[in-house]
Amino acid sequence: MTDQNPGSPEQQRALACVLDEIIPPNPDGRLPGAGAIGLGDTLAARPELWPLIEAGIQAIDAIAQQRGATTFAELPRADRRGVLDESVATAPVFLPTLIAQTFVGYYQDAAVREALGLDAGAPFPKGYAVAPTDFSILDPVRRRGAFFREP
Amino acid sequence: MAEQAVDVVIIGAGASGAAFAWSLAETRMRIVCLEQGGWMKPTDYPTNSADWEVRGAGEFATSPNTRGRPADYPINDDDSPIKIANFNAVGGSTILYAAHFPRFKPSDFRVRTLDGVADDWPIDYQTLEPYWAENDVMMGVSGLAGDPAYPPKEVPLPPVPLGKLGETIAGGFNELGWHWWPSDSAIATREYKGRAPCINLGPCITGCSQGAKASTDLTYWPEAERRGVEVRPHCRVREITVDANGMADGVIYYDAEGVEQRLRAEIVVIAANGVGTPRLLLNSASNQFPDGLANRSGLVGRNLMFHPYAMVLGLFDEPLLGYQGPTGCGLWSHEFYETDPGRDCVRGYSFELVRGFGPLTSALWSLSKGELSWGDGHHEAMAGIVDHIGGMMAICEDLPEAHNTVTLDPDLVDGNGIPAPRISYRLSENSRKLLDHGTARATDVLKAAGARRVVSDAPLAMAGWHLMGTARMGRDPEHSVVNEWGRSHDVPNLFIIDGSVFVTSGAVNPCNTIQALALYVADQIKKNIDHLFD
């Protein structure tokens, strides 16, 4: 258990595995998995989320045990997706909530944004230089002439 | 309860209240504007921080129910497929608007004559023309003169650049031979009246950190204050009071500390827009006006019109740099604006360019639309989404229907205990057909522009930005709430100057027309000051 993360080491590992299932690392290594950017600690430290996460981990561990593993994290990667899909029956809020929260955390991560070729920081005050438009592309519209409706 | 007296009290410091105050200030009357929100600090806007997408969906969300700021009042919009969008501050909803700034068109004022539906306005395009021009200068409008979809008009500032995304979609319109034109935008494209030029930050709809967007806290209010108008922020009006003769004699409001105050006034002006205005009138019921102030017609709160929106987005193979440039400003098309006998519906719609989203918004939107999944293949799919989205909104004309209403919720109240509004709205068959037509034609454009897939959402639930019709204007007191210059038929010293006086909705963003109307009403008051209450 870290200072902020209320989970046990096993729970933290399980959560990291779930996050990596939701957004796995890119095969080319350019983008990390969601379990590798510290997002687990951030989510677990949120008091309104932790009970849901804890119950969800309990649910997926139980399903994993039915499949012969001791915990979700012990499952081979190929089996984890099926367990998460199955968890919706016993923990219906866990997976949808975690997917949304993972997306929110992942796509705000500075390293992820930079890897996508986007600015990591605030848009202001840098902004963007956009070239002036050559409005000769309006020529077909101009040739058509006025067409508003007079009462 | 403290009590003061002024000549004019304006309720609401948004688009219309600001324009009206500035214009009327030349009379040297003592004018006070009460605003339930405060002054905004551009440094507080989300684009100052890296988590701008999350903050824009939370504390700067367009729904007051999501934001829940102290300045906001709750709105029960459960009984409407379109949810209310607004903002409460000095500047009102111009703080969050996209600043897409078209005028209404000549035909918008004559839909009964032209198409046999709804009603004609008691004023026309020519009536408002000088006030649009005045407003364009005050707000600092950018665009390009010569749009064949409008009568000739000048535009003070050069247009915002279309960028790669806009030019791509413009190519789609050209391919089909359909009208498009650079939008009139209330965005400074060069330094203008102390405002810095646009630097293409992107999300204008969470507040402009640069100050290039024309919110009225930056445009009209500084000049109105210099002319002597007093703005009192954090003051929420509970009711308008009347004297024994049935004339408005002032307001009761709660100040920033929640203390009840009384402000007497010779003239009361409501600028709270299509939901706030009927709410206040209904909350001002009295023995003399048991059904609500100025409501002898029974029309206060009726005929609520939105613009039903279809959001139609294309996924393109090439990056579009769509996060660069004003979100909702770029180009418009009025190809399908007017009634077409070939369509099974009346009136029409306009198109407005939608630039791209940030990565988080792109991901969540794509997830919700089934365009993106979690798990294996996520990155491959996301690579074809982030910065590959661009599209359009179809903004459909909504016809007035008496059953679409703003009433008072029997249970819900705001932070001062004032009854909150309740919305009841049904999407009409005509609006549904316009949405379908707009979705199909936008799909044509996007495919012609090269989109590999097109995804739509109609009606767009969070698009209740334009709130109109709930205190309509007209010459007949039996069928309207205010006369042709905004004066209440029932209470001669009560004026309404916001979107609630609209007779019909047009099919373009209403802000420019709301402000032109406010300037027009102010001018009528000045011209008729000697016999204003006759």
Side-chain angles (χ1 to χ4, degrees):
Chain A
M1 185 185 302
T2 67
D3 286 348
Q4 288 81 32
N5 189 331
S8 67
E10 293 75 22
Q11 288 172 317
Q12 292 182 34
R13 187 167 167 233
L15 180 56
C17 288
V18 174
L19 298 180
D20 266 348
E21 280 304 307
I22 293 171
I23 301 183
N26 196 332
D28 66 10
R30 197 169 54 90
L31 285 157
I37 59 171
L39 190 53
D41 286 343
T42 305
L43 297 179
R46 286 169 54 182
E48 81 281 11
L49 274 183
W50 175 246
L52 181 141
I53 292 171
E54 191 172 33
I57 291 171
Q58 200 171 12
I60 58 176
D61 277 348
I63 298 168
Q65 283 156 18
Q66 290 167 13
R67 298 187 175 199
T70 51
T71 63
F72 176 80
E74 299 301 324
L75 282 169
R77 247 222 82 197
D79 294 344
R80 290 178 187 164
R81 170 81 189 224
V83 171
L84 288 174
D85 286 338
E86 197 177 328
S87 75
V88 175
T90 51
V93 184
F94 170 64
L95 185 60
T97 302
L98 215 54
I99 290 170
Q101 294 299 331
T102 302
F103 275 42
V104 170
Y106 190 80
Y107 286 109
Q108 283 195 100
D109 184 83
V112 169
R113 285 186 181 240
E114 283 173 354
L116 289 168
L118 304 171
D119 284 335
F124 181 80
K126 186 179 165 197
Y128 302 100
V130 179
T133 304
D134 174 2
F135 282 110
S136 64
I137 57 174
L138 272 171
D139 287 349
V141 185
R142 290 190 174 102
R143 281 196 293 273
R144 182 173 165 184
F147 76 104
F148 62 89
R149 191 179 183 193
E150 286 282 14
Chain B
M1 178 166 58
E3 186 164 319
Q4 291 181 300
V6 296
D7 296 314
V8 181
V9 60
I10 302 168
I11 303 157
S16 62
F20 179 90
W22 169 81
S23 177
L24 201 66
E26 70 174 80
T27 63
R28 302 290 179 188
M29 288 194 282
R30 171 102 199 268
I31 302 170
V32 168
C33 179
L34 301 174
E35 166 55 51
Q36 62 196 321
W39 288 93
M40 300 303 293
K41 293 180 192 164
T43 49
D44 289 341
Y45 293 145
T47 49
N48 286 278
S49 53
D51 60 350
W52 56 276
E53 287 186 277
V54 169
R55 292 186 62 212
E59 62 188 300
F60 282 87
T62 53
S63 166
N65 298 332
T66 303
R67 285 193 310 268
R69 288 168 164 253
D72 291 318
Y73 55 91
I75 299 175
N76 181 349
D77 52 15
D78 293 344
D79 190 32
S80 172
I82 299 173
K83 308 304 180 186
I84 303 298
N86 69 10
F87 199 72
N88 296 299
V90 178
S93 296
T94 65
I95 299 294
L96 294 193
Y97 76 156
H100 196 247
F101 219 61
R103 301 177 179 188
F104 270 32
K105 296 163 71 96
S107 62
D108 288 326
F109 298 88
R110 292 290 176 270
V111 299
R112 166 61 68 178
T113 300
L114 291 171
D115 295 319
V117 293
D119 284 299
D120 290 346
W121 291 51
I123 57 173
D124 59 16
Y125 185 92
Q126 285 70 30
T127 306
L128 291 185
E129 207 163 26
Y131 302 101
W132 276 312
E134 185 173 43
N135 195 49
D136 285 352
V137 172
M138 286 301 296
M139 294 290 277
V141 173
S142 62
L144 190 67
D147 186 350
Y150 275 97
K153 59 184 170 64
E154 297 302 314
V155 190
L157 295 168
V160 298
L162 294 182
K164 183 178 177 185
L165 184 153
E167 291 174 16
T168 300
I169 292 177
F173 279 106
N174 280 348
E175 182 75 20
L176 295 166
W178 291 350
H179 168 265
W180 69 274
W181 201 260
S183 303
D184 286 356
S185 308
I187 291 173
T189 46
R190 57 175 165 74
E191 206 164 304
Y192 187 78
K193 290 185 176 238
R195 281 158 50 207
C198 177
I199 52 172
N200 302 299
L201 291 172
C204 312
I205 56 172
T206 60
C208 180
S209 301
Q210 171 79 344
K213 187 178 80 170
S215 49
T216 59
D217 57 328
L218 303 179
T219 58
Y220 278 107
W221 278 122
E223 295 206 26
E225 286 191 312
R226 275 196 290 276
R227 290 178 168 198
V229 178
E230 179 191 353
V231 180
R232 291 187 192 169
H234 304 296
C235 291
R236 176 175 278 146
V237 176
R238 186 183 76 199
E239 64 180 289
I240 298 165
T241 55
V242 291
D243 65 16
N245 298 316
M247 298 284 277
D249 64 2
V251 300
I252 296 172
Y253 69 96
Y254 296 100
D255 67 17
E257 282 72 46
V259 177
E260 188 175 310
Q261 303 283 352
R262 177 91 167 94
L263 183 63
R264 292 194 172 275
E266 298 296 321
I267 297 173
V268 176
V269 180
I270 313 180
N273 217 8
V275 170
T277 288
R279 177 200 185 202
L280 178 57
L281 291 171
L282 295 173
N283 271 322
S284 301
S286 62
N287 288 338
Q288 292 175 79
F289 296 95
D291 298 322
L293 188 61
N295 192 25
R296 289 190 173 132
S297 66
L299 290 171
V300 169
R302 293 194 175 275
N303 297 303
L304 171 66
M305 295 175 284
F306 296 116
H307 284 131
Y309 270 64
M311 184 168 76
V312 189
L313 300 178
L315 292 161
F316 292 77
D317 289 332
E318 294 290 317
L320 296 168
L321 303 176
Y323 54 90
Q324 302 180 1
T327 322
C329 293
L331 64 83
W332 64 39
S333 169
H334 290 184
E335 182 69 28
F336 302 101
Y337 199 90
E338 301 291 353
T339 297
D340 178 347
R343 296 199 300 254
D344 184 24
C345 50
V346 292
R347 306 301 297 157
Y349 56 88
S350 63
F351 284 129
E352 169 188 342
L353 179 75
V354 178
R355 297 193 198 239
F357 307 131
L360 173 57
T361 310
S362 297
L364 291 175
W365 174 80
S366 304
L367 182 71
S368 73
K369 291 295 174 190
E371 297 293 322
L372 182 66
S373 60
W374 57 280
D376 292 336
H378 173 84
H379 293 295
E380 189 181 4
M382 188 63 178
I385 289 170
V386 67
D387 195 27
H388 289 66
I389 299 173
M392 291 180 294
M393 299 280 197
I395 305 171
C396 300
E397 176 156 353
D398 205 8
L399 294 171
E401 297 178 293
H403 60 259
N404 290 330
T405 59
V406 178
T407 56
L408 297 179
D409 191 276
D411 304 313
L412 197 62
V413 295
D414 65 23
N416 295 107
I418 305 170
R422 179 180 188 278
I423 310 301
S424 183
Y425 176 88
R426 298 283 174 274
L427 189 72
S428 71
E429 186 65 18
N430 195 70
S431 291
R432 180 76 256 177
K433 288 176 178 174
L434 289 173
L435 285 168
D436 290 346
H437 195 274
T439 299
R441 297 294 78 76
T443 301
D444 293 340
V445 172
L446 293 172
K447 287 190 171 170
R452 64 182 146 81
R453 278 184 56 72
V454 176
V455 182
S456 63
D457 197 353
L460 189 62
M462 45 75 78
W465 289 298
H466 307 154
L467 312 170
M468 300 162 283
T470 49
R472 65 194 308 195
M473 60 162 47
R475 293 196 174 87
D476 181 355
E478 297 293 315
H479 296 101
S480 54
V481 177
V482 298
N483 72 2
E484 65 272 24
W485 43 286
R487 193 182 74 176
S488 161
H489 290 302
D490 301 343
V491 185
N493 64 338
L494 174 68
F495 291 81
I496 304 175
I497 58 170
D498 54 53
S500 58
V501 305
F502 280 30
V503 179
T504 56
S505 70
V508 289
N509 313 51
C511 188
N512 198 356
T513 300
I514 288 172
Q515 291 186 297
L517 265 169
L519 293 170
Y520 162 70
V521 173
D523 249 15
Q524 296 308 302
I525 290 175
K526 286 182 270 186
K527 287 173 183 167
N528 293 288
I529 196 75
D530 292 336
H531 51 277
L532 196 59
F533 307 142
D534 294 346

Coordinates of all heavy atoms in Angstrom, one line a residue, chain B residues 341-373:
Chain B
P341 N -40.3 22.8 -51.8 CA -41.5 21.9 -52.0 C -41.1 20.5 -52.2 O -42.0 19.6 -52.0 CB -42.1 22.5 -53.3 CG -41.6 23.9 -53.4 CD -40.2 23.9 -52.8
G342 N -39.9 20.2 -52.6 CA -39.5 18.8 -52.8 C -39.2 18.1 -51.5 O -39.0 16.9 -51.5
R343 N -39.2 18.8 -50.4 CA -39.0 18.1 -49.1 C -40.4 18.0 -48.4 O -41.3 18.9 -48.6 CB -38.1 18.9 -48.2 CG -36.7 19.1 -48.8 CD -35.7 19.4 -47.6 NE -36.0 20.7 -47.0 CZ -35.3 21.8 -47.2 NH1 -34.3 21.8 -48.0 NH2 -35.6 22.9 -46.6
D344 N -40.5 17.0 -47.6 CA -41.8 16.8 -46.9 C -41.9 17.6 -45.6 O -42.2 17.0 -44.5 CB -42.0 15.3 -46.7 CG -43.3 15.0 -46.0 OD1 -44.2 15.8 -46.2 OD2 -43.4 13.9 -45.4
C345 N -41.4 18.8 -45.6 CA -41.4 19.6 -44.4 C -41.3 21.1 -44.8 O -41.0 21.4 -45.9 CB -40.3 19.2 -43.4 SG -38.7 19.1 -44.2
V346 N -41.5 22.0 -43.8 CA -41.3 23.4 -44.1 C -40.1 24.0 -43.4 O -39.6 23.4 -42.5 CB -42.6 24.2 -43.7 CG1 -43.8 23.8 -44.5 CG2 -42.9 24.0 -42.2
R347 N -39.7 25.2 -43.9 CA -38.5 25.9 -43.5 C -37.3 25.0 -43.7 O -37.3 24.1 -44.5 CB -38.7 26.3 -42.0 CG -40.0 27.2 -41.8 CD -40.0 28.4 -42.6 NE -38.9 29.3 -42.3 CZ -38.4 30.3 -43.2 NH1 -38.9 30.4 -44.4 NH2 -37.4 31.0 -42.8
G348 N -36.2 25.3 -43.0 CA -35.0 24.6 -43.3 C -33.9 24.7 -42.2 O -34.3 24.8 -41.1
Y349 N -32.7 24.6 -42.6 CA -31.6 24.6 -41.7 C -30.3 25.2 -42.3 O -30.2 25.4 -43.5 CB -31.3 23.1 -41.2 CG -31.0 22.2 -42.4 CD1 -29.7 22.0 -42.8 CD2 -32.1 21.5 -43.0 CE1 -29.5 21.1 -43.9 CE2 -31.8 20.6 -44.0 CZ -30.5 20.4 -44.5 OH -30.3 19.6 -45.5
S350 N -29.4 25.5 -41.4 CA -28.1 25.9 -41.9 C -27.1 24.9 -41.4 O -27.3 24.1 -40.5 CB -27.7 27.3 -41.4 OG -27.6 27.3 -40.0
F351 N -25.9 24.9 -42.1 CA -24.8 24.1 -41.6 C -23.7 25.0 -41.0 O -23.5 26.2 -41.5 CB -24.1 23.4 -42.8 CG -24.9 22.2 -43.3 CD1 -25.2 22.0 -44.6 CD2 -25.3 21.2 -42.4 CE1 -25.8 20.9 -45.1 CE2 -26.0 20.1 -42.9 CZ -26.3 19.9 -44.2
E352 N -23.1 24.5 -40.0 CA -22.0 25.3 -39.3 C -20.8 24.3 -39.2 O -21.0 23.1 -38.7 CB -22.5 25.8 -38.0 CG -21.4 26.3 -37.0 CD -22.0 26.6 -35.7 OE1 -23.3 26.7 -35.5 OE2 -21.2 26.7 -34.7
L353 N -19.6 24.7 -39.5 CA -18.4 23.8 -39.4 C -18.2 23.5 -38.0 O -18.3 24.3 -37.1 CB -17.2 24.6 -39.9 CG -15.9 23.9 -39.9 CD1 -15.8 22.8 -41.0 CD2 -14.7 24.9 -40.0
V354 N -17.8 22.2 -37.7 CA -17.3 21.8 -36.4 C -15.9 21.4 -36.6 O -15.6 20.4 -37.4 CB -18.1 20.6 -35.9 CG1 -17.6 20.1 -34.6 CG2 -19.6 20.9 -35.8
R355 N -15.0 22.0 -35.9 CA -13.6 21.6 -36.0 C -13.4 20.4 -35.1 O -14.3 19.9 -34.4 CB -12.7 22.8 -35.6 CG -12.8 23.9 -36.5 CD -11.7 24.9 -36.3 NE -12.0 26.2 -36.9 CZ -11.3 26.8 -37.8 NH1 -10.2 26.3 -38.3 NH2 -11.7 28.0 -38.3
G356 N -12.2 19.9 -35.0 CA -11.9 18.7 -34.3 C -11.9 18.9 -32.8 O -12.1 19.9 -32.3
F357 N -11.8 17.8 -32.1 CA -11.8 17.7 -30.7 C -10.4 17.4 -30.2 O -9.5 16.9 -30.9 CB -12.7 16.6 -30.2 CG -14.1 16.7 -30.7 CD1 -14.7 15.6 -31.3 CD2 -14.8 17.9 -30.7 CE1 -16.0 15.6 -31.8 CE2 -16.1 17.9 -31.2 CZ -16.7 16.8 -31.7
G358 N -10.2 17.6 -28.9 CA -9.0 17.2 -28.2 C -9.0 15.6 -28.1 O -10.0 15.0 -28.4
P359 N -7.8 15.1 -27.7 CA -7.7 13.6 -27.7 C -8.7 12.9 -26.8 O -9.3 11.9 -27.1 CB -6.3 13.4 -27.3 CG -5.8 14.6 -26.7 CD -6.6 15.7 -27.3
L360 N -8.9 13.5 -25.6 CA -9.9 12.9 -24.7 C -11.3 12.9 -25.2 O -12.0 11.9 -25.2 CB -9.8 13.6 -23.3 CG -10.8 13.1 -22.3 CD1 -10.7 11.6 -22.0 CD2 -10.6 13.9 -21.0
T361 N -11.7 14.1 -25.7 CA -13.1 14.2 -26.2 C -13.2 13.2 -27.4 O -14.3 12.6 -27.6 CB -13.4 15.6 -26.6 OG1 -13.0 16.5 -25.5 CG2 -14.8 15.8 -27.0
S362 N -12.2 13.2 -28.2 CA -12.3 12.3 -29.4 C -12.4 10.8 -29.0 O -13.2 10.1 -29.5 CB -11.0 12.4 -30.2 OG -10.8 13.7 -30.7
A363 N -11.7 10.5 -28.0 CA -11.7 9.1 -27.5 C -13.1 8.7 -26.9 O -13.7 7.7 -27.2 CB -10.6 8.8 -26.5
L364 N -13.6 9.6 -26.0 CA -14.9 9.3 -25.4 C -16.0 9.3 -26.4 O -16.9 8.5 -26.3 CB -15.1 10.3 -24.2 CG -14.2 10.2 -23.0 CD1 -14.4 11.3 -22.0 CD2 -14.3 8.8 -22.3
W365 N -16.0 10.3 -27.3 CA -17.1 10.4 -28.3 C -17.0 9.1 -29.2 O -18.0 8.5 -29.4 CB -16.9 11.6 -29.2 CG -17.9 11.7 -30.3 CD1 -19.2 12.0 -30.2 CD2 -17.6 11.2 -31.7 NE1 -19.8 11.9 -31.5 CE2 -18.8 11.4 -32.4 CE3 -16.5 10.8 -32.3 CZ2 -19.0 11.1 -33.7 CZ3 -16.6 10.5 -33.7 CH2 -17.8 10.7 -34.4
S366 N -15.8 8.7 -29.6 CA -15.7 7.5 -30.4 C -16.1 6.3 -29.7 O -16.7 5.4 -30.3 CB -14.3 7.4 -30.9 OG -13.9 8.6 -31.6
L367 N -15.8 6.2 -28.4 CA -16.2 5.0 -27.6 C -17.7 5.0 -27.6 O -18.3 3.9 -27.8 CB -15.6 5.2 -26.2 CG -15.9 4.0 -25.2 CD1 -15.2 2.8 -25.6 CD2 -15.6 4.4 -23.8
S368 N -18.4 6.1 -27.3 CA -19.8 6.1 -27.2 C -20.5 5.8 -28.5 O -21.6 5.3 -28.6 CB -20.3 7.5 -26.7 OG -20.2 8.5 -27.8
K369 N -19.8 6.0 -29.6 CA -20.4 5.8 -31.0 C -20.0 4.4 -31.5 O -20.3 4.1 -32.7 CB -20.0 6.9 -31.9 CG -20.6 8.2 -31.6 CD -22.1 8.2 -31.8 CE -22.8 9.4 -31.3 NZ -24.3 9.3 -31.3
G370 N -19.2 3.7 -30.8 CA -18.8 2.4 -31.2 C -17.7 2.4 -32.3 O -17.4 1.4 -33.0
E371 N -17.1 3.6 -32.4 CA -16.0 3.7 -33.4 C -14.6 3.4 -32.7 O -13.6 3.3 -33.4 CB -15.9 5.2 -33.9 CG -17.2 5.6 -34.6 CD -17.3 4.9 -36.0 OE1 -16.3 4.6 -36.6 OE2 -18.5 4.5 -36.3
L372 N -14.6 3.2 -31.4 CA -13.4 2.9 -30.7 C -13.7 1.9 -29.7 O -14.7 2.0 -29.0 CB -12.9 4.2 -30.1 CG -11.5 4.1 -29.3 CD1 -10.4 3.8 -30.3 CD2 -11.3 5.5 -28.6
S373 N -12.8 0.9 -29.5 CA -13.1 -0.1 -28.4 C -11.9 0.0 -27.5 O -10.9 0.6 -27.7 CB -13.2 -1.5 -29.1 OG -12.0 -1.8 -29.7

